[in-house]
Amino acid sequence: MLGEIREARETLHLTQKDVAEALDWSVSKLIRIENGSVGLSITDLKALLLHYGITDRDRVETYVEMAKAGRKPGWWDKYKHTSSPEFLKFLGLESAAVIIRQYQLHLIPGLLQVPEYTRSLVAKGTGDPEVQERRIRLRAERQERLGDTDLEHFFILDESVLRRRVTDGDGWRTQLHHLREISRRPNVTLQILPFEAGWIDGMQSSFELLQLSEQDNDLFLNLSQPDGDLFFDDVIGAEKAAQFIQIFYRLEGAARTPEETPGFIDKVLQELED
């Protein structure tokens, strides 16, 4: 079906940018729809068909039924009772990403947390043991993509992340050892932004950038805020994500090199022993 939808656009000699602007979408949204990296909602499908002049009732209903039949629940769907719809959408996009870039100012990224660390965090967020266990399982399932060698991960951690003890001493040592080991994976680039780097413009908030296709500008931004994460999509989101990729590059340039990361972590571990 997606091939037919794309063919309808090309038959009208419309570029992806033409269609995105007409529907007030970001170009990256249309790219993701056409390459199948995200699901196509019935509302978006009907908007596309109308824009392409496909209005025959039977043909439209055929496409609608095809879209419904093609929907497969993602692994994250089972967490809909303990996660917001926005976060579930983010998990779907994260699962479709080809490159993940993340800067963390305060905490170990969820993708790199050991169970002891995660448990300490979720216990502070809720006293319900069942909810705690579901959130721990969710985080563990997210981490499975780290084993996909075709997916590149770039992490920048502020030095404060390595010194903020979220768990007890043993759990903290386990977490730091895990970071050191995972930094050696071929598809993971881990850098530390040391205190000595001083102030870098844009370092005020943690954020995650998902690159959803081989096109450099096909980005989705998750920006951490005190009252919850903000997810940026559509036209405004594409512009915001483009700004934050430049911030990430600045932080990357100021951080210690990936080769220096294991030694930096070893230094913090030694301070724990002392």
Side-chain angles (χ1 to χ4, degrees):
M1 180 192 71
L2 294 178
E4 295 177 48
I5 297 295
R6 183 169 55 250
E7 184 178 338
R9 173 180 62 76
E10 293 171 346
T11 298
L12 295 172
H13 303 291
L14 296 172
T15 66
Q16 291 173 323
K17 183 178 180 181
D18 293 334
V19 177
E21 289 180 348
L23 297 178
D24 198 25
W25 293 353
S26 66
V27 176
S28 62
K29 175 177 178 177
L30 185 57
I31 291 171
R32 296 196 295 270
I33 288 173
E34 290 192 349
N35 67 21
S37 62
V38 296
L40 176 57
S41 71
I42 303 305
T43 300
D44 287 345
L45 171 62
K46 289 183 176 181
L48 281 173
L49 294 176
L50 181 61
H51 189 66
Y52 297 155
I54 300 173
T55 56
D56 177 79
R57 182 174 180 178
D58 291 339
R59 190 178 177 190
V60 170
E61 285 304 311
T62 297
Y63 281 127
V64 168
E65 291 305 314
M66 289 172 67
K68 289 179 179 178
R71 286 181 176 174
K72 295 180 181 179
W75 64 263
W76 53 88
D77 285 350
K78 59 180 173 286
Y79 297 106
K80 62 184 177 182
H81 298 301
T82 52
S83 303
S84 68
E86 293 80 10
F87 185 60
L88 292 176
K89 176 184 177 181
F90 170 76
L91 291 176
L93 292 172
E94 187 179 67
S95 296
V98 297
I99 298 176
I100 294 176
R101 297 178 177 91
Q102 188 168 168
Y103 165 66
Q104 264 294 345
L105 180 60
H106 302 295
L107 298 171
I108 302 291
L111 292 170
L112 303 182
Q113 292 174 10
V114 295
E116 295 91 334
Y117 190 99
T118 302
R119 189 174 298 278
S120 295
L121 284 180
V122 299
K124 292 178 174 66
T126 175
D128 187 328
E130 183 178 348
V131 173
Q132 289 179 17
E133 291 305 315
R134 289 179 67 83
R135 290 179 178 173
I136 292 168
R137 289 198 300 272
L138 185 157
R139 196 149 297 179
E141 287 198 62
R142 280 181 71 194
Q143 293 173 355
E144 290 180 7
R145 286 214 73 197
L146 283 169
D148 182 356
T149 55
D150 292 329
L151 173 63
E152 292 186 88
H153 295 266
F154 295 87
F155 297 100
I156 303 172
L157 309 185
D158 189 85
E159 183 177 345
S160 62
V161 173
L162 301 185
R163 302 185 182 281
R164 180 172 289 104
R165 298 192 196 182
V166 172
T167 69
D168 60 22
D170 289 340
W172 191 229
R173 289 183 187 88
T174 300
Q175 178 64 74
L176 292 177
H177 280 292
H178 178 67
L179 283 181
R180 186 177 60 184
E181 293 307 310
I182 211 164
S183 71
R184 295 190 170 101
R185 292 194 184 188
N187 63 325
V188 174
T189 300
L190 177 61
Q191 294 178 256
I192 309 300
L193 184 67
F195 292 144
E196 64 194 48
W199 176 259
I200 310 296
D201 187 33
M203 67 184 293
Q204 298 97 316
S205 298
S206 302
F207 61 90
E208 186 170 356
L209 284 158
L210 309 177
Q211 186 169 326
L212 298 163
S213 73
E214 298 304 324
Q215 298 198 29
D216 292 340
N217 64 345
D218 189 7
L219 299 169
F220 182 92
L221 170 65
N222 170 19
L223 178 61
S224 298
Q225 297 287 281
D227 56 350
D229 291 353
L230 294 177
F231 303 103
F232 291 89
D233 202 356
D234 60 46
V235 175
I236 295 175
E239 295 174 354
K240 195 79 170 176
Q243 296 172 9
F244 271 79
I245 193 70
Q246 296 305 316
I247 292 173
F248 189 88
Y249 292 150
R250 287 199 295 271
L251 294 168
E252 201 172 39
R256 293 288 183 91
T257 67
E259 292 75 20
E260 294 175 307
T261 294
F264 199 102
I265 295 173
D266 283 338
K267 177 183 175 183
V268 177
L269 278 165
Q270 186 58 49
E271 291 174 5
L272 283 177
E273 301 304 328
D274 294 343

